[in-house]
Amino acid sequence: QVQLVESGGGLVQPGGSLRLSCAASGSFFSINGMGWYRQAPGKERELVATTFSDGSLNYADSVKGRFTISRDNAKNTVFLQMNSLKPEDTAVYYCNAGMRVLTMTGAGWREVWGQGTLVTVSS
């Protein structure tokens, strides 16, 4: 039983900032990659930013220079600081993580998704 819970979404005006958090809980051995994806109305889910245990990270071109992903490994939490928000950033933001878990057939690697948090950028 593993779970990712996002928080921090809300309504913000263009040019404003929000900070999203995602905390992992439940039974797992470790987490390697954690990241943020988003899905706008009528569009497919897309990658926003990812980070891995080795410190590597990646950003979508549309958010480079505005968003910053960070991670607190001790708390199994990933953050997304979003600055200079634009209406185009409006979407449901989902946390994603790759976890080493114990299943009924043994230890394995499982991809887990959070429930999503809505970010609305509008005047």
Side-chain angles (χ1 to χ4, degrees):
Q1 298 181 7
V2 294
Q3 185 178 26
L4 297 175
V5 179
E6 303 101 330
S7 62
L11 175 64
V12 64
Q13 296 187 74
S17 298
L18 285 174
R19 184 172 183 259
L20 305 183
S21 300
C22 172
S25 62
S27 299
F28 57 89
F29 296 115
S30 62
I31 299 175
N32 186 9
M34 299 189 78
W36 292 94
Y37 295 72
R38 67 186 182 186
Q39 187 166 22
K43 296 185 178 181
E44 296 183 355
R45 189 172 299 184
E46 65 176 355
L47 171 71
V48 177
T50 58
T51 182
F52 291 83
S53 297
D54 63 1
S56 63
L57 49 84
N58 184 56
Y59 294 94
D61 289 340
S62 60
V63 306
K64 287 181 179 178
R66 299 189 298 119
F67 291 10
T68 302
I69 189 169
S70 60
R71 181 173 176 176
D72 185 339
N73 290 326
K75 296 183 178 180
N76 294 314
T77 301
V78 65
F79 306 92
L80 185 68
Q81 179 66 45
M82 305 185 294
N83 299 325
S84 301
L85 283 162
K86 305 175 181 180
E88 303 92 280
D89 296 317
T90 296
V92 177
Y93 284 70
Y94 296 91
C95 181
N96 173 268
M99 300 183 180
R100 181 67 63 180
V101 301
L102 181 64
T103 70
M104 295 184 66
T105 58
W109 185 254
R110 178 173 294 177
E111 186 178 44
V112 182
W113 290 90
Q115 83 286 352
T117 185
L118 177 63
V119 173
T120 302
V121 185
S122 176
S123 298

